[in-house]
Amino acid sequence: MNHGKNNGEEIRIGFYVCHCGHNIASMVDCAEVAKYVEQLPHVVLSRDYKYMCSDPGQELIAQDIKEHNLNRIVVASCSPLLHEHTFRTAVERGGINPFYFHMVNIREHNSWVHTDRAAATLKAKALARAAIKRVAHHRALETKRVPIHPDVLVVGGGIAGIHAAMTLANAGKKVYLVEREPTIGGHMAKFDKTFPTLDCAACILTPKMSQVGAHPNIKLMTYSEVTKVDGYVGNYTVTIKHKPRYVIEDLCIGCQDCIPACVYKEPKFPDEFNENLGKRKPIYIPFPQATPQVVIIDPDTCLNLKTGKCKKTCVEACGDKKAIDFKQQETFEDIKVGTIIVATGFKTFDATKMPQYGYGIHKNVYTALEVERLVNASGPTGGEIILRDGTHPKSIGIIHCVGSRDERHNRWCSRVCCMYSLKLAHLLKEHTGAEVYNFYIDMRTAGKNYDEFYGKLLDEGVHFIRGRVGEVTDWAFTPEEEGHLVIRVEDTLAGYVRRIPVDMVVLATGLEPQEDAQEVRRLFNMSCGGEGFFLERHPKLAPVNTFTDGIFLAGCCQGPKDIPDSVAQAGAAAAEALVLVDKGYVEQEPNTAFVIENECSGCKSCVPLCPYTAIAFDGSKQKAYINEALCKGCGTCVGACPSGSIVQNLFEDAEVFSEIEGVLAE
Amino acid sequence: MNASENKVPAGWSPRIVAFFCNWCTYTAADLAGVSRLKYAPNVRVIRLMCSGRVDPQFILEAFARGADGVLVGGCHPNDCHYVEGNYKMLRRARLLRRMLAGMGIEEARFRLEWISAAEGEKVKVVVNEMVEQIRALGPLGLPGRWAEWDREVAGLAERVAAVEAAGVGEKESEVAHG
Ligand SMILES: Cc1cc2nc3c(=O)[nH]c(=O)nc-3n(C[C@H](O)[C@H](O)[C@H](O)COP(=O)(O)OP(=O)(O)OC[C@H]3O[C@@H](n4cnc5c(N)ncnc54)[C@H](O)[C@@H]3O)c2cc1C
Ligand code: SF4
Ligand code: SF4
């Protein structure tokens, strides 16, 4: 590799400072910066321009390179994380190597965070000076192309994961869909109807689920979890743990003969799918349309798995299909994929954290998810609204924003609760004819046909009371309140405190990150926002990308959203993965490190430092050697080499030292 | 060496060089910008791919070139984009701190912080805090001090030369009684 500096050529720098409209120009005197830079060594040309990233801005660079024979370019504008690529491409169009470029961040790191124009201008000059000094040391580099493994992994089988998997599979890609529950479907599978169209959730979801199960390009892995992710974009090795369901998936035909045969004649154990409102047996299928159509045995309740003493009537009933296997163990499988879509969804706020609303204290207080099961024709009561105390409600209160928009719990708006509260108000009224009261702080129904849906509910005679509910109590003040739950609320429109007796309370619990979001985040090397939802690479321009190349986000794991948005985002994530797969390769930053052999003292300090075992020691030469294909370019070895004989492309010592000198020379 | 002995030049304001890793802290600083948080303009960020790339020499060089403080920002433990570059930085930082102390560079002038991509607010808090602490310490002024040391050494050399010229015996006695 050529490590001689610049081959003695004359360094001719072009400098551009961007106004970014008023974004930069209002806090930084751009003309003054340009004038200052003009007199720095090697600077041939220095301009300020309104929008550097615009087409004419880019063209300006390309033209100037040709006309003024420039061989180094510095642009002071926004963050390189946003536009480094744009400008490198412009530089390349001008006919020189794209790595003869350096970008200075005077927007995110300067004009947007400072309030003193003189100080901000001074800082812009210092940063520009550092870049001018640095870029003189730049060398021509080549990006490396890494082939992409065409298979894709989708983690999480809710509507987002299902849609992403189907999109990719229909495009002819092989997809692994990993779901930790015994069936795919996620939250949506529990709903009766979906807002705002009130179409039946099962009718739109279950056909999609069975398509996933049957798709030749999808390998569905339910009751499984990702335990390890190795490698990098294009080339991931993922370890998947298959939990024992004590039923051999390939042999079970879903006839369910075993379930009635179980020694437990009656369902006895809380049914998780029905939010524990119904009962199931130790051997069960989560719900009739579960995918795959395979039963599962719960080791915590199965007599045989707990005690070893059972007649095993289920095995008998299964007969020569021989699908039941009590000896099944956890197994691990490695798969290779090029890209990954994370769609692990959300959990709902734990309503017991707000005891003033009485969940878990008063029998007839429910969470919205429980009500979704109660109104569901295939739910625990067959769709009849029978309360925990056996009665039918004549009045119902739905409390919005439970755990949401609340400094003590979750500060964010969960985005779907207003709409699902309206939906449940409609369904409950339809099922029971009861008076329904909605208690809201603000009604947030921004979505296609959403506000119209709100209007429809107003017409249906549902009551809306604006005010955050103070408490739900069974302490009666008047004879009318006797035997009811009383919702105490300040009606902020009427301007007084009201007590409204109801038979049933529904808590619209907000959406939260999954319990294990932090572990999942680490597994896939992603970031989380302050609330714990996975962080997109850019909130506007890269909403499905993560900071790790080749890993994408879809659905509520990125933040609360409804089904249409989850599906749209899943489609976008699938498209992003497809772009990579179909291109066939990814270009990698050439920021890898290499050892200058004759300067290496052979001390071996670097060898154990590399997290990717990219450094080897050549015993015959007594020198270290870096395998470029394994090096990911962190630069840890560079910082540690006592003889200074390791160089990192794009972050060479000379480059960094000149930046240090540049920011400090005043 | 006590900074308060240094004269604080009029209009002086701390100069801080920050080395931020690309994945967490640099992104957090971007987020601070996007969120329009306001912090002191005294910090100049140099982007590296990983805090593990921070060579102790960078820090020494920054001080030597006139920085009053150096801030290194990396991902939180267990979150390093390159597995454990941040731990490696942490180890180097511990050694370096002792060295800095030996050179009379106060503890508050060198700071290592874990700042994740979501913690724009923390960038603001850390920078502002550091600026205030260093403002209280006053300028480090290494380049100036070195010029002074150079003068002292040169002066000393002159004296030695003068003594040597005067004769060996005298020199010894001078050393013995000096
Ligand atoms: C009560 C209620 C009612 C709602 N009603 C509506 C409505 O009517 N209309 C509407 O548009 N929206 C509605 N929503 C919002 C809707 O639920 C979401 O938009 C949608 O479910 C998001 O889908 P998802 O795939 O992102 O997440 P989820 O549905 O949560 O699916 C995530 C899946 O990933 C799996 N998973 C999680 N972690 C892992 C892991 N580590 N490994 C493997 N698998 C994992 C989970 O088991 C789950 O199957 C409602 C929400 C609630 C709470
Ligand atoms: S969506 Fe509506 S009910 Fe839900 S948190 Fe936001 S404002 Fe409250
Ligand atoms: S640390 Fe530097 S000198 Fe030591 S073996 Fe590695 S490359 Fe060679």
Side-chain angles (χ1 to χ4, degrees):
Chain A
M1 190 162 304
N2 159 32
H3 188 245
K5 207 180 94 181
N6 311 320
N7 303 320
E9 62 174 336
E10 186 204 348
I11 291 165
R12 300 176 59 83
I13 304 176
F15 174 79
Y16 302 83
V17 49
C18 180
H19 293 205
C20 195
H22 290 305
N23 283 303
I24 295 171
S26 65
M27 195 47 67
V28 172
D29 187 336
C30 296
E32 195 185 316
V33 174
K35 211 168 103 213
Y36 168 78
V37 171
E38 195 156 42
Q39 43 86 36
L40 294 175
H42 302 305
V43 176
V44 173
L45 181 146
S46 176
R47 299 183 192 275
D48 61 311
Y49 190 78
K50 197 145 190 168
Y51 288 109
M52 279 312 296
C53 62
S54 67
D55 276 352
Q58 294 181 48
E59 195 47 36
L60 189 63
I61 299 177
Q63 277 306 322
D64 283 348
I65 292 175
K66 290 179 194 145
E67 272 168 35
H68 299 268
N69 225 352
L70 305 176
N71 55 20
R72 297 290 189 282
I73 300 294
V74 172
V75 175
S77 54
C78 49
S79 171
L81 303 185
L82 206 64
H83 273 315
E84 189 170 60
H85 186 74
T86 314
F87 292 126
R88 276 185 187 162
T89 315
V91 167
E92 200 168 23
R93 272 204 304 277
I96 58 171
N97 186 282
F99 295 96
Y100 282 143
F101 167 76
H102 193 69
M103 190 162 172
V104 186
N105 187 344
I106 57 166
R107 194 180 72 178
E108 283 83 343
H109 290 190
N110 193 10
S111 68
W112 275 350
V113 288
H114 302 322
T115 46
D116 175 345
R117 191 169 155 92
T121 304
L122 195 73
K123 179 169 174 177
K125 285 183 193 166
L127 292 172
R129 184 174 55 225
I132 297 290
K133 282 188 185 288
R134 178 192 221 275
V135 82
H137 297 277
H138 279 212
R139 288 178 299 114
L141 296 170
E142 263 171 44
T143 45
K144 197 172 50 170
R145 284 185 174 187
V146 205
I148 289 263
H149 194 289
D151 298 352
V152 184
L153 166 69
V154 177
V155 189
I159 184 62
I162 289 175
H163 187 77
M166 282 299 289
T167 308
L168 287 160
N170 286 339
K173 306 303 163 207
K174 174 158 187 197
V175 182
Y176 297 93
L177 177 56
V178 175
E179 165 61 57
R180 69 170 165 208
E181 298 299 325
T183 171
I184 55 172
H187 282 93
M188 189 179 168
K190 300 192 175 187
F191 307 156
D192 182 40
K193 302 272 173 18
T194 54
F195 64 72
T197 43
L198 290 179
D199 47 353
C200 146
C203 314
I204 53 177
L205 181 65
T206 53
K208 261 192 122 147
M209 287 167 60
S210 49
Q211 280 168 23
V212 166
H215 206 296
N217 288 341
I218 297 179
K219 181 139 199 276
L220 182 57
M221 299 168 162
T222 51
Y223 216 43
S224 301
E225 268 164 41
V226 173
T227 55
K228 199 163 162 237
V229 181
D230 272 335
Y232 48 91
V233 53
N235 238 310
Y236 289 107
T237 303
V238 180
T239 307
I240 291 159
K241 176 171 87 180
H242 302 295
K243 298 177 273 189
R245 59 198 297 158
Y246 304 105
V247 172
I248 301 167
E249 229 180 288
D250 292 338
L251 298 181
C252 174
I253 59 163
C255 66
Q256 301 177 32
D257 288 347
C258 49
I259 301 176
C262 175
V263 291
Y264 286 99
K265 284 291 157 248
E266 289 303 320
K268 196 176 158 207
F269 306 101
D271 174 0
E272 298 86 350
F273 185 80
N274 277 321
E275 297 291 304
N276 300 333
L277 294 172
K279 300 254 189 293
R280 60 154 173 79
K281 295 190 180 182
I283 188 162
Y284 66 104
I285 188 148
F287 64 107
Q289 299 91 347
T291 305
Q293 282 280 305
V294 172
V295 297
I296 178 166
I297 302 178
D298 167 24
D300 294 335
T301 52
C302 167
L303 203 57
N304 187 51
L305 285 166
K306 268 171 59 188
T307 65
K309 289 191 210 99
C310 178
K311 283 194 292 207
K312 292 185 235 178
T313 41
C314 56
V315 178
E316 246 168 64
C318 189
D320 52 12
K321 291 173 287 244
K322 293 196 167 48
I324 297 175
D325 175 11
F326 285 110
K327 293 205 181 61
Q328 218 175 46
Q329 296 283 330
E330 227 171 58
T331 58
F332 290 86
E333 180 182 354
D334 280 352
I335 59 166
K336 286 206 181 301
V337 294
T339 51
I340 298 172
I341 295 176
V342 179
T344 49
F346 65 97
K347 76 170 170 59
T348 47
F349 173 76
D350 172 7
T352 59
K353 286 191 193 152
M354 294 182 88
Q356 66 269 40
Y357 289 169
Y359 183 74
I361 302 167
H362 306 302
K363 261 189 171 172
N364 292 343
V365 179
Y366 289 81
T367 67
L369 213 47
E370 288 170 341
V371 178
E372 291 281 354
R373 295 314 299 152
L374 268 189
V375 294
N376 199 302
S378 58
T381 56
E384 205 185 329
I385 310 301
I386 309 170
L387 299 184
R388 287 201 181 92
D389 66 2
T391 63
H392 291 76
K394 293 192 187 55
S395 53
I396 300 167
I398 302 178
I399 302 178
H400 289 217
C401 295
V402 176
S404 306
R405 305 181 66 200
D406 184 339
E407 294 290 333
R408 289 160 302 172
H409 299 289
N410 301 327
R411 283 174 52 189
W412 59 90
C413 170
S414 293
R415 268 191 61 186
V416 293
C417 338
C418 279
M419 279 303 287
Y420 79 57
S421 296
L422 292 176
K423 170 182 76 173
L424 292 177
H426 168 86
L427 294 174
L428 286 168
K429 201 168 172 64
E430 186 181 69
H431 281 59
T432 62
E435 286 301 320
V436 180
Y437 300 87
N438 273 52
F439 300 88
Y440 67 100
I441 328 180
D442 289 309
M443 196 54 80
R444 297 192 168 176
T445 54
K448 190 170 172 177
N449 291 329
Y450 284 15
D451 221 37
E452 292 86 328
F453 188 72
Y454 177 27
K456 174 177 139 78
L457 265 285
L458 287 168
D459 289 343
E460 284 178 7
V462 171
H463 308 286
F464 289 91
I465 294 170
R466 198 185 81 176
R468 193 187 273 285
V469 169
E471 72 173 331
V472 174
T473 169
D474 59 357
W475 194 14
F477 277 9
T478 59
E480 299 89 77
E481 288 178 2
E482 210 70 61
H484 295 283
L485 291 168
V486 178
I487 295 179
R488 204 168 57 81
V489 62
E490 182 191 355
D491 186 331
T492 56
L493 292 180
Y496 65 102
V497 175
R498 296 174 69 174
R499 295 172 58 86
I500 298 185
V502 293
D503 300 325
M504 176 189 195
V505 171
V506 181
L507 304 180
T509 46
L511 275 52
E512 289 185 343
Q514 290 277 14
E515 211 89 63
D516 61 346
Q518 290 295 327
E519 284 106 84
V520 173
R521 173 175 77 82
R522 295 215 169 96
L523 203 55
F524 295 101
N525 206 342
M526 300 184 290
S527 300
C528 277
E531 324 79 40
F533 292 108
F534 301 143
L535 198 67
E536 63 284 343
R537 193 177 195 123
H538 190 280
K540 296 170 191 82
L541 301 178
V544 302
N545 302 67
T546 67
F547 287 99
T548 306
D549 288 338
I551 297 191
F552 306 99
L553 298 173
C556 289
C557 61
Q558 183 252 358
K561 52 178 72 68
D562 53 26
I563 295 166
D565 284 0
S566 298
V567 169
Q569 204 193 13
E576 293 280 349
L578 260 178
V579 169
L580 287 182
V581 174
D582 276 353
K583 199 167 166 197
Y585 63 86
V586 271
E587 286 194 337
Q588 279 192 334
E589 281 276 295
N591 59 347
T592 46
F594 58 92
V595 176
I596 304 171
E597 204 178 276
N598 55 16
E599 285 175 18
C600 169
S601 65
C603 72
K604 298 187 195 170
S605 6
C606 54
V607 179
L609 280 179
C610 178
Y612 306 102
T613 59
I615 312 180
F617 194 73
D618 181 340
S620 63
K621 288 190 187 158
Q622 290 291 305
K623 306 279 184 188
Y625 167 80
I626 295 179
N627 180 342
E628 200 199 5
L630 294 176
C631 171
K632 298 249 190 78
C634 64
T636 301
C637 59
V638 193
C641 172
S643 60
S645 56
I646 313 184
V647 178
Q648 182 186 13
N649 287 328
L650 284 174
F651 296 92
E652 292 184 26
D653 279 351
E655 294 167 348
V656 182
F657 279 127
S658 49
E659 266 192 276
I660 298 172
E661 191 192 333
V663 290
L664 289 166
E666 219 122 85
Chain B
M1 199 166 317
N2 191 338
S4 57
E5 290 167 12
N6 289 349
K7 285 189 288 298
V8 178
W12 173 82
S13 187
R15 290 196 293 171
I16 299 173
V17 177
F19 299 95
F20 284 174
C21 87
N22 183 61
W23 304 100
C24 290
T25 315
Y26 194 89
T27 311
D30 274 5
L31 177 66
V34 173
S35 320
R36 310 298 199 274
L37 305 178
K38 302 294 176 217
Y39 58 82
N42 307 53
V43 66
R44 312 275 187 269
V45 176
I46 293 176
R47 179 170 70 111
L48 300 169
M49 294 311 283
C50 178
S51 58
R53 172 69 181 95
V54 180
D55 187 325
Q57 289 185 75
F58 293 168
I59 295 161
L60 295 172
E61 176 80 4
F63 283 126
R65 293 248 175 217
D68 302 297
V70 175
L71 170 62
V72 174
C75 309
H76 284 271
N78 285 329
D79 283 354
C80 175
H81 191 80
Y82 303 99
V83 190
E84 51 195 22
N86 53 356
Y87 284 120
K88 283 155 193 164
M89 179 56 217
L90 177 65
R91 268 184 249 157
R92 280 178 212 156
R94 291 210 169 127
L95 290 173
L96 185 69
R97 265 200 197 100
R98 288 190 208 163
M99 225 172 120
L100 293 178
M103 294 168 71
I105 297 178
E106 298 89 341
E107 215 172 295
R109 293 189 190 271
F110 168 55
R111 192 154 165 176
L112 172 62
E113 283 288 345
W114 309 137
I115 305 179
S116 84
E119 295 175 318
E121 182 73 26
K122 188 164 177 187
V123 171
K124 171 187 130 174
V125 170
V126 166
V127 168
N128 281 344
E129 213 174 83
M130 211 173 156
V131 169
E132 279 324 303
Q133 281 172 342
I134 293 176
R135 207 184 286 284
L137 288 172
L140 176 62
L142 268 196
R145 281 193 218 168
W146 281 356
E148 209 169 290
W149 292 342
D150 278 349
R151 275 195 300 278
E152 270 172 34
V153 171
L156 214 63
E158 254 170 51
R159 268 183 64 198
V160 170
V163 169
E164 248 166 19
V168 177
E170 250 177 278
K171 178 187 149 203
E172 274 178 354
S173 72
E174 186 153 326
V175 170
H177 303 293

